Amino acid sequence: MLKCAIIINKNAKKNRSGGLNKDKVYKILKNSIEIFETWTIEETRSAITYIKELNFDLLVGSGGDGTHHVILTEMCTIYGENGNFPIYLPLKGGTINFAAPNIPVKGSQIQTIERLKSFLEQVEHRLDIPKDMLKKNRILKLVEEERKILRYGFAVIMGLPYKITKLYYASGNPSPSTAFNLTTSIIGGYIVGAKRSIDAFQPIDVDIEIDGEKYPYKKCLLLVASVFPKLVLWFEPFYKEDKWKDGYYLLVFSEPALEAIKRIRALSKGLLRMQKSYNDLAETTIVRADSGYAMDGEIFERNSPFEIKILKGPPITFLRI
């Protein structure tokens, strides 16, 4: 039988309001899964250390994208980038879920756990898992050397999407409808000169190097690096990549805000490349800036100049269920 464990982040909003807990998981899966409820990164680290020592085959993460970010960071640190990782199943336990739909993992956390029960009853060994139920995908590796910070995850954002993310959390009501209404109001507000929108669309100062080449513009409206093509809401902004390249999706945009708004439909679907931009795959991006960034919904504010490196992370095998 597959050795399976689940880490339930008790801080995740849906779990705080009863989305998933130890009793609900045990009621469905009984003794076929080992359950860890965690409140802190240290508890997550301890759980993953135990999972590595006992060589578990499958790890389930309960929480939002920030939870998966923490689990993957601890997993890569404890196992090492070339380690024999467990297969990872990210549940949709966040207010807005970016990673799970890209696997895809469908339905609520409880619905996925119920399907997992059937899966565990049918599959005895890791090698018996049907190939179409597995998705092997690189993750991102982010290095902030000056602060000795190393993170692993799915997406990094700067500029406009970072500012909108901060406003989203500051709203006090994070939800898909809040995200939609806030994003559309920021875009529409720029046209009528609303201060909040003008501030959000203010370009940030950057010095960027992409795969050894200098990005020629010193200001950008936004930067998005992602291992998945579809972002949140209606955004799929990445241009068709060169299939032979190995890397992650990268969009850097330095056109004036009004030009972006005029072409928002085509740009948000990856149908247009504009002159003052980079929209392709990349393997190494070095960014020097003086504003913050977010990774998988986690905000990292910076009030002084800093440098981050966005690199190809290790491949992780995900379970499609």
Side-chain angles (χ1 to χ4, degrees):
M1 185 175 181
L2 287 174
K3 294 183 70 174
C4 182
I6 183 170
I7 294 176
I8 302 173
N9 177 13
K10 297 293 288 182
N11 293 307
K13 184 179 179 183
K14 286 187 178 178
N15 291 342
R16 290 201 308 269
S17 58
L20 200 67
N21 58 41
K22 187 173 185 177
D23 292 339
K24 288 182 178 181
V25 174
Y26 183 79
K27 184 177 180 180
I28 298 169
L29 295 177
K30 300 295 190 287
N31 294 320
S32 59
I33 192 167
E34 189 133 3
I35 305 168
F36 300 88
E37 290 186 317
T38 65
W39 292 93
T40 66
I41 291 176
E42 289 72 23
E43 288 174 345
T44 301
R45 184 176 301 139
S46 176
I48 293 174
T49 299
Y50 176 86
I51 288 164
K52 177 180 183 292
E53 288 173 351
L54 272 71
N55 196 28
F56 276 71
D57 300 296
L58 175 64
L59 172 58
V60 183
S62 168
D65 295 318
T67 298
H68 306 313
H69 161 83
V70 169
I71 289 174
L72 289 173
T73 295
E74 294 303 321
M75 197 164 75
C76 291
T77 302
I78 291 166
Y79 280 78
E81 288 192 10
N82 297 315
N84 183 28
F85 299 118
I87 297 166
Y88 188 59
L89 172 58
L91 301 184
K92 293 168 67 176
T95 51
I96 292 183
N97 298 285
F98 158 63
N102 274 288
I103 301 302
V105 176
K106 300 177 181 179
S108 68
Q109 294 192 103
I110 289 293
Q111 289 170 335
T112 305
I113 293 296
E114 288 171 343
R115 292 198 303 275
L116 181 62
K117 178 179 184 293
S118 176
F119 170 80
L120 292 174
E121 288 170 349
Q122 296 175 40
V123 177
E124 284 289 323
H125 304 287
R126 185 165 176 166
L127 293 176
D128 297 332
I129 301 174
K131 289 184 178 180
D132 63 355
M133 294 189 71
L134 299 174
K135 178 182 177 71
K136 196 168 188 177
N137 211 106
R138 282 195 182 277
I139 57 174
L140 293 181
K141 175 181 180 179
L142 183 144
V143 181
E144 204 174 340
E145 290 180 348
E146 186 175 335
R147 290 177 170 84
K148 295 182 171 58
I149 290 173
L150 182 61
R151 312 183 197 279
Y152 295 86
F154 304 108
V156 177
I157 57 175
M158 299 179 71
L160 176 62
Y162 166 75
K163 296 173 190 176
I164 291 177
T165 300
K166 288 180 67 178
L167 291 170
Y168 168 75
Y169 286 123
S171 72
N173 181 33
S175 68
S177 60
T178 298
F180 178 84
N181 293 334
L182 177 61
T183 301
T184 53
S185 71
I186 291 292
I187 295 171
Y190 186 86
I191 298 171
V192 299
K195 184 181 184 305
R196 186 176 70 165
S197 298
I198 298 297
D199 291 344
F201 273 95
Q202 189 68 27
I204 61 172
D205 295 322
V206 292
D207 182 7
I208 301 174
E209 186 178 304
I210 305 169
D211 292 339
E213 299 288 333
K214 279 284 187 182
Y215 180 71
Y217 308 104
K218 295 299 182 182
K219 290 183 180 291
C220 78
L221 185 64
L222 59 85
L223 179 149
V224 181
S226 172
V227 295
F228 296 129
K230 189 179 188 309
L231 303 178
V232 297
L233 300 177
W234 64 87
F235 293 103
E236 299 179 53
F238 303 111
Y239 201 75
K240 287 183 179 180
E241 75 281 7
D242 295 322
K243 295 296 184 183
W244 58 270
K245 291 176 72 174
D246 178 24
Y248 50 83
Y249 298 97
L250 178 68
L251 171 61
V252 188
F253 192 86
S254 296
E255 295 280 356
L258 198 55
E259 294 301 310
I261 292 172
K262 286 178 182 177
R263 298 166 175 81
I264 187 68
R265 186 182 297 274
L267 289 170
S268 66
K269 292 298 183 182
L271 302 175
L272 179 66
R273 271 175 169 158
M274 297 188 72
Q275 181 179 351
K276 294 182 179 179
S277 68
Y278 179 96
N279 193 342
D280 206 336
L281 294 188
E283 297 187 15
T284 301
T285 305
I286 302 172
V287 185
R288 300 172 189 90
D290 57 5
S291 63
Y293 66 93
M295 189 170 193
D296 302 328
E298 297 292 303
I299 291 173
F300 304 103
E301 295 195 62
R302 297 289 180 263
N303 298 313
S304 59
F306 70 98
E307 177 183 292
I308 58 173
K309 293 179 181 178
I310 306 171
L311 310 168
K312 294 187 304 181
I316 302 293
T317 300
F318 297 93
L319 183 64
R320 289 172 156 164
I321 193 169

